[in-house]
Amino acid sequence: MSDVKTVNRDFNTGIIGQFPGGVHPPERKQPASSRPIRRLPLPAELILPVRQHIGPSGKVLVEVGERVDKGQRLTEAGLSQGLPLHAPTSGVIAAIEERPTAHASGLPEHAIVIHPDGEERWGNKHALPDYHDIEISRLLELVQEAGIAGLGGAGFPTAQKLAQQKPLKHLIINGVECEPYIAADDRLMQEYADDIIAGTRILQYITRCNSVLFAIEDNKPEAIKAIAAAIDDDTQIQLKVVPTKYPSGGEKQLIELLTGHQVPSGKLPMDIGLLMQNVGTAYAVKRAIIHGEPLLERVVTLTGEALEQRGNVWALLGTPIQHLLDESGFNPEKKQRIIMGGPMMGFTLPSTEVPVIKTTNCILAPTDHELPAPGPELACIRCGACSDVCPATLQPQQLQWLAKAKDYDELEKHHLFDCIECGACAYVCPSEIPLVHYYRKAKAEVRNIAREKAKAEQARKRFEARQERLEREKQERLERHRKAAEERKKMQQEKASRPDSKTDSGDEKPAEKSAAVAAAIARAKAKKAAQAAKDNADEDSSAKGNES
Amino acid sequence: MSFKIAPSPHGHNQRNTSEMMRWVCYALVPGVLLQSYFFGPGVWFQITLAVATAVLAEMACTVARERPAFSALRDNTAIVTAILLAISIHSLAPWWVIVIGTLFAIVVVKHVYGGMGQNLFNPAMAGYVLLLISFPVQMTNWLPASTISEHSLTLWQTLHTILFEYTPAGYSVEQLRAGIDGVTMATPLDTIKTELTRGYTLTEIYQGPEFSYFAGAGWQWINLGFLVGGLLLIQQRIISWHIPLGFLAGLCLPAFIAHIFAPDLMPGPIVHALSGATMLGAFFIATDPVSAATSNRGRVIFALLIGFIVFVIRSWGGYPDAVAFAVLLANMCVPLIDRYTRPVVYGHGD
């Protein structure tokens, strides 16, 4: 503890702001934070969901049975937000099929399955040890082609985040890792500080930003030392040691902590001249540019008392969770929970056949003793403990009432969508109400309603267009009939006014002629009647359409 | 194998509602012990009767509402309501008074409004006001504190009086209240009120046997007992300081100002703070989260309002004490207070 304090004195270069609320759950970063990152034997198969990040997925470039090299591209970078996927190791494409993926729903998704051959045979690498004479747009392309997505949270494609046009006040590197148990970023900073700082400088070069704030929570003294040593006398990078409090690593909270400013609701940090990247992302950018290696693996914390060997591992993307558990001495108890992510925001996995993806920072297998399952939900007593800890200064108890009452208008007025789902409210709720669960449901419902509304609006427009078209066609038809009738009238008049009419001449021919005329009139009448019937039917059906 | 699915967060700080309510009960102990010292073992009979009534009423209501009978009891809130009501009435009140009050608090004020967490009004105080309005005689028969009383009742005499309204020897509660001179003694606040109307000054009134040291005999110690328990609740983070401090400020500041201008007519802040139900109200009653405002700013306003209403009613109203009325009036203002004290959400400032 005294160690932490000396570190604080040395590096605490003035935290400007603070954010309201927050909680101090037991940190439990040991032993993961003090054990070197291990490498595991290759798993029997790697499962690579084609869609691993926000945005549409790209076209698959390989076929079943094909041999692939390590780092070989497997999918085309899709449209706008798409990221390509690469083979994490050399091997054979065993299947391209639906597999359960790392999502709270456990729904299957399209995935490429590779059987590694153990050769670790690299394909071509385009290393760029000196990037300073390369154009920024080319560097952005390289980051995009390396398949790098934000490794800290939502997995947003990094190149797109970097490609923004506004000038930056600060580039913030987030090494806070405030969630309990997780020590992946902590270990990465301890072991790869120089690479992270090198990656930070590349990010600085791309964003043309000469002020970097590098934030680490004060419960990581070793990481702080390592990063401070790597920064050395670089005056453009300031190390900021932030006090330990959950969720200080949240993008909005960290910004408020470091700059004293809030990101206006509905805006992005770049709108106030800030950009945040996770330390893992900085590391991945360094590997991509300097070594020409795409994003193939990441550090994953394996922890929880149901595991004998807790610690961090380098996990290839696509490694089945079961493989990680097998390598860590997994002793499941009854009703075991397997959590992807930390205890505050992670989600339970329905199956361990799901793979590691780019945003998988932790696999937590807790015993019921260390993280007791919640008791039965009691009624809200409006004690307000939740609002005291809400980092967004929302009123969770009001939101909860409104969510239960399905009052979606009021929910939006109470700023439901500013909730970052950090879970602090539910953590302290004495009635053990799963508050975040209610907000997620309500958010999904509000989005559904908006979608339905948009759909209904479209349907209405389509219907109106159809009505207009039918009306127009009817008018045109009537116009045609009117003209035809006029034509006929005119012809008859012309006939009647002809002076040398032969109808009185008494021979057979005129009689024959008039019979033919009568027949023609009868035919025309029948046709007209049929047309009228059809018109009526048309009108009926459109009237029905109107009702429905 | 199959794994358990649960929503995040997957941990809890393990301070649940039942435990919080249990702490409230513990914190009441010093005050209740002092109250039973000054007003006899009747306090314990009243508490027992109230808790038994509350538990049965709670079970009956949950069954009638087709919920599991014991689940509602687990949160301990009915017990807290019962104890608060029991210590608000005088220790020799007839048994049916506390039973009616508790039934009203649990059945009507709590369950008719939708049960736990849904009640608009503080159940204990609503029960108290019902009793005060319906049975004014039985409710205001406070005995003088035992230290200055002519009579002290044994356990059996106390029980007999609560059950049959007379001691075994045939004394009524009214007779028990008489002092050595045969004059009926009242509570300190009551004495101040009546004596002031008879033209005495406070200096003269404080000479009476009902007063000693800083405020009313007995009552001052009971109030200090509840203050100690209340501070324990703050230290344990069961309640926050906002409501108790707001309450005391709302009561004592106007009292202080008034006392400066009319020292012989308006009692000072210390007398107010240590009389009647002040400390019980500030730390245990106004802090009921269900019927209080929700934000900290709102709570301060809510509590200031209660304190101020107590001051106004004590000074000029028809009742000697006013915590129950003040709390109910402030409960009515809660939706309004909540509306205007909504905190600014992240990203919506400036």
Side-chain angles (χ1 to χ4, degrees):
Chain A
M1 209 49 209
S2 64
D3 218 27
V4 180
K5 278 197 181 119
T6 44
V7 167
N8 264 342
R9 248 203 314 279
D10 290 346
F11 302 110
N12 199 344
T13 42
I15 299 303
I16 295 167
Q18 56 174 12
F19 68 91
V23 289
H24 295 95
E27 293 167 25
R28 296 182 182 152
K29 304 248 183 196
Q30 290 290 350
S33 64
S34 55
R35 290 184 183 161
I37 308 174
R38 285 187 295 155
R39 272 201 188 275
L40 301 181
L42 285 174
E45 63 172 20
L46 294 170
I47 306 150
L48 299 156
V50 174
R51 209 185 110 118
Q52 288 209 343
H53 45 79
I54 296 170
S57 55
K59 202 179 102 199
V60 177
L61 298 171
V62 289
E63 284 170 8
V64 175
E66 196 177 323
R67 290 180 68 81
V68 290
D69 291 332
K70 183 167 185 168
Q72 183 179 331
R73 194 183 285 184
L74 303 178
T75 64
E76 192 86 67
L79 291 165
S80 64
Q81 295 198 335
L83 280 180
L85 202 60
H86 305 82
T89 184
S90 59
V92 180
I93 306 290
I96 300 176
E97 60 188 15
E98 302 277 296
R99 285 294 184 99
T101 55
H103 185 264
S105 69
L107 288 176
E109 274 194 67
H110 212 52
I112 300 172
V113 181
I114 298 178
H115 284 176
D117 57 15
E119 291 172 23
E120 296 273 11
R121 183 182 63 249
W122 271 97
N124 292 336
K125 288 201 257 184
H126 300 285
L128 269 180
D130 188 17
Y131 54 86
H132 284 98
D133 48 356
I134 310 287
E135 267 184 52
I136 287 171
S137 58
R138 176 66 193 141
L139 289 177
L140 282 173
E141 259 173 56
L142 289 173
V143 171
Q144 174 82 3
E145 280 166 18
I148 299 175
L151 298 183
F156 189 81
T158 302
Q160 268 133 56
K161 206 169 167 183
L162 292 173
Q164 41 73 39
Q165 298 298 317
K166 295 179 186 170
L168 284 189
K169 231 184 287 170
H170 304 291
L171 170 66
I172 299 170
I173 302 296
N174 187 344
V176 172
E177 201 166 49
C178 60
E179 178 123 10
Y181 285 94
I182 309 178
D185 289 348
D186 186 1
R187 259 339 279 190
L188 193 74
M189 288 189 283
Q190 290 181 43
E191 295 179 35
Y192 299 89
D194 288 329
D195 302 72
I196 291 169
I197 295 300
T200 302
R201 295 205 174 103
I202 301 175
L203 293 171
Q204 248 186 300
Y205 177 72
I206 293 177
T207 55
R208 299 178 206 84
C209 177
N210 53 21
S211 168
V212 177
L213 305 178
F214 199 118
I216 309 179
E217 219 171 41
D218 64 9
N219 61 359
K220 303 177 184 60
E222 293 302 318
I224 293 168
K225 268 185 216 161
I227 292 293
I231 294 174
D232 199 17
D233 56 357
D234 186 338
T235 52
Q236 296 199 341
I237 305 179
Q238 288 180 62
L239 182 56
K240 296 273 188 181
V241 178
V242 304
T244 299
K245 177 163 93 167
Y246 179 84
S248 55
E251 189 171 62
K252 291 176 167 181
Q253 282 62 46
L254 186 54
I255 285 174
E256 193 169 8
L257 209 52
L258 294 180
T259 68
H261 294 296
Q262 293 188 344
V263 183
S265 177
K267 301 251 173 138
L268 294 172
M270 75 170 77
D271 293 316
I272 55 169
L274 300 170
L275 184 75
M276 192 176 293
Q277 294 289 352
N278 172 261
V279 286
T281 315
Y283 176 79
V285 166
K286 192 256 178 181
R287 301 299 302 180
I289 303 292
I290 311 259
H291 306 274
E293 292 173 9
L295 180 61
L296 304 181
E297 58 183 4
R298 66 158 297 142
V299 183
V300 178
T301 303
L302 301 176
T303 187
E305 282 174 14
L307 301 182
E308 273 165 21
Q309 286 163 276
R310 281 162 266 167
N312 288 289
V313 296
W314 279 108
L316 294 180
L317 300 181
T319 306
I321 303 305
Q322 186 61 50
H323 179 70
L324 299 178
L325 296 175
D326 289 344
E327 295 291 333
S328 318
F330 178 41
N331 298 318
E333 57 178 20
K334 245 204 268 174
K335 290 187 175 172
Q336 177 69 49
R337 283 166 296 169
I338 304 287
I339 299 162
M340 187 175 277
M344 298 301 285
M345 289 185 78
F347 53 91
T348 48
L349 295 176
S351 137
T352 49
E353 294 312 310
V354 307
V356 169
I357 58 169
K358 288 173 189 172
T359 52
T360 306
N361 51 7
C362 180
I363 299 297
L364 171 58
T367 57
D368 198 58
H369 174 71
E370 60 175 327
L371 283 182
E377 176 185 342
L378 300 177
C380 171
I381 54 166
R382 290 165 42 100
C383 67
C386 49
S387 14
D388 292 343
V389 299
C390 179
T393 38
L394 292 161
Q395 289 192 286
Q397 77 280 30
Q398 297 298 101
L399 289 174
Q400 177 249 167
W401 292 113
L402 295 170
K404 283 184 177 164
K406 301 191 191 302
D407 189 343
Y408 299 118
D409 291 339
E410 266 311 294
L411 274 170
E412 290 194 61
K413 272 188 214 155
H414 280 75
H415 308 295
L416 171 66
F417 281 87
D418 287 295
C419 168
I420 59 168
E421 299 178 18
C422 68
C425 51
Y427 176 75
V428 298
C429 176
S431 294
E432 306 203 41
I433 304 172
L435 292 159
V436 182
H437 185 61
Y438 283 111
Y439 308 149
R440 286 203 195 105
K441 256 166 70 181
K443 280 179 180 177
E445 205 44 53
V446 171
R447 289 198 194 102
N448 267 346
I449 289 168
R451 244 199 313 273
E452 290 296 315
K453 221 169 158 183
K455 250 187 185 164
E457 180 63 18
Q458 214 171 19
R460 190 182 61 80
K461 278 186 182 151
R462 240 189 348 247
F463 175 73
E464 280 174 3
R466 180 174 179 273
Q467 285 296 93
E468 210 174 286
R469 178 172 54 80
L470 289 177
E471 184 60 26
R472 199 175 57 237
E473 282 175 3
K474 194 175 166 191
Q475 289 305 329
E476 282 169 6
R477 211 165 43 239
L478 289 175
E479 183 65 18
R480 268 202 311 280
H481 292 172
R482 196 181 53 76
K483 273 188 182 155
E486 268 177 16
E487 203 84 336
R488 273 199 304 282
K489 240 185 195 166
K490 226 162 134 189
M491 270 175 43
Q492 272 173 359
Q493 272 172 2
E494 268 175 27
K495 240 187 224 171
S497 62
R498 219 179 281 165
D500 50 345
S501 175
K502 286 173 187 169
T503 43
D504 295 339
S505 63
D507 61 342
E508 263 182 58
K509 227 179 171 179
E512 237 180 67
K513 212 176 183 175
S514 67
V517 167
I521 288 170
R523 262 204 312 278
K525 264 186 184 160
K527 209 172 169 185
K528 212 171 185 176
Q531 180 69 46
K534 201 175 160 225
D535 276 1
N536 278 342
D538 261 3
E539 261 163 31
D540 277 356
S541 70
S542 62
K544 262 176 209 152
N546 212 350
E547 276 162 31
S548 68
Chain B
M1 77 178 284
S2 72
F3 296 102
K4 197 178 170 198
I5 300 298
S8 67
H10 308 280
H12 194 264
N13 67 352
Q14 294 308 308
R15 162 76 49 82
N16 58 30
T17 304
S18 331
E19 199 190 321
M20 284 169 67
M21 293 300 151
R22 220 167 31 237
W23 268 101
V24 173
C25 296
Y26 299 153
L28 282 166
V29 169
V32 174
L33 279 177
L34 284 163
Q35 194 164 333
S36 71
Y37 171 74
F38 286 109
F39 293 100
V43 178
W44 296 105
F45 287 121
Q46 300 289 355
I47 290 177
T48 312
L49 265 174
V51 169
T53 312
V55 166
L56 290 176
E58 182 94 0
M59 277 171 69
C61 286
T62 42
V63 169
R65 295 173 64 211
E66 297 178 357
R67 273 147 225 231
F70 292 96
S71 73
L73 284 175
R74 211 169 20 209
D75 58 41
N76 294 335
T77 47
I79 294 172
V80 170
T81 299
I83 297 177
L84 289 177
L85 184 54
I87 58 183
S88 302
I89 68 172
H90 78 85
S91 55
L92 292 181
W95 64 272
W96 45 267
V97 168
I98 187 68
V99 169
I100 291 174
T102 312
L103 280 177
F104 180 75
I106 299 292
V107 178
V108 179
V109 185
K110 185 173 173 189
H111 281 285
V112 167
Y113 278 83
M116 169 84 161
Q118 307 276 354
N119 46 296
L120 218 57
F121 295 105
N122 184 311
M125 289 304 99
Y128 181 86
V129 166
L130 173 96
L131 295 175
L132 186 59
I133 293 172
S134 314
F135 315 110
V137 176
Q138 287 84 350
M139 285 294 286
T140 48
N141 268 341
W142 280 91
L143 292 189
S146 58
T147 45
I148 53 167
S149 175
E150 280 306 296
H151 311 267
S152 75
L153 299 185
T154 63
L155 212 60
W156 162 242
Q157 288 169 325
T158 306
L159 187 60
H160 195 278
T161 314
I162 291 173
L163 292 177
F164 306 110
E165 298 175 41
Y166 291 95
T167 60
Y171 287 110
S172 71
V173 178
E174 190 59 35
Q175 286 166 315
L176 291 175
R177 294 174 71 201
I180 194 159
D181 48 4
V183 175
T184 300
M185 291 207 281
T187 66
L189 283 175
D190 218 353
T191 311
I192 291 175
K193 182 145 257 167
T194 43
E195 298 301 290
L196 279 175
T197 53
R198 294 172 59 201
Y200 290 100
T201 64
L202 281 175
T203 325
E204 291 161 324
I205 297 169
Y206 289 160
Q207 303 304 315
E210 291 93 343
F211 296 88
S212 69
Y213 302 110
F214 346 98
W219 290 87
Q220 55 195 350
W221 305 114
I222 295 169
N223 268 287
L224 286 173
F226 287 125
L227 171 66
V228 167
L231 292 176
L232 174 72
L233 287 185
I234 292 181
Q235 186 258 330
Q236 286 294 317
R237 292 170 173 258
I238 306 286
I239 58 173
S240 70
W241 53 267
H242 300 84
I243 288 180
L245 198 72
F247 184 121
L248 294 177
L251 171 62
C252 294
L253 286 182
F256 178 67
I257 295 166
H259 184 65
I260 286 177
F261 284 103
D264 258 352
L265 294 175
M266 304 297 278
I270 292 177
V271 174
H272 273 293
L274 297 180
S275 295
T278 304
M279 290 299 173
L280 182 67
F283 288 91
F284 294 89
I285 291 169
T287 49
D288 164 35
V290 176
S291 52
T294 53
S295 67
N296 283 336
R297 211 151 52 94
R299 284 176 184 157
V300 171
I301 296 172
F302 168 79
L304 282 171
L305 186 65
I306 299 179
F308 185 68
I309 298 174
V310 170
F311 167 73
V312 169
I313 299 181
R314 278 185 186 174
S315 303
W316 298 287
Y319 290 90
D321 201 358
V323 172
F325 289 110
V327 167
L328 294 191
L329 288 170
N331 286 161
M332 287 181 207
C333 303
V334 161
L336 195 72
I337 295 172
D338 277 348
R339 199 183 157 77
Y340 287 104
T341 53
R342 222 177 268 165
V344 179
V345 174
Y346 183 105
H348 290 270
D350 312 326

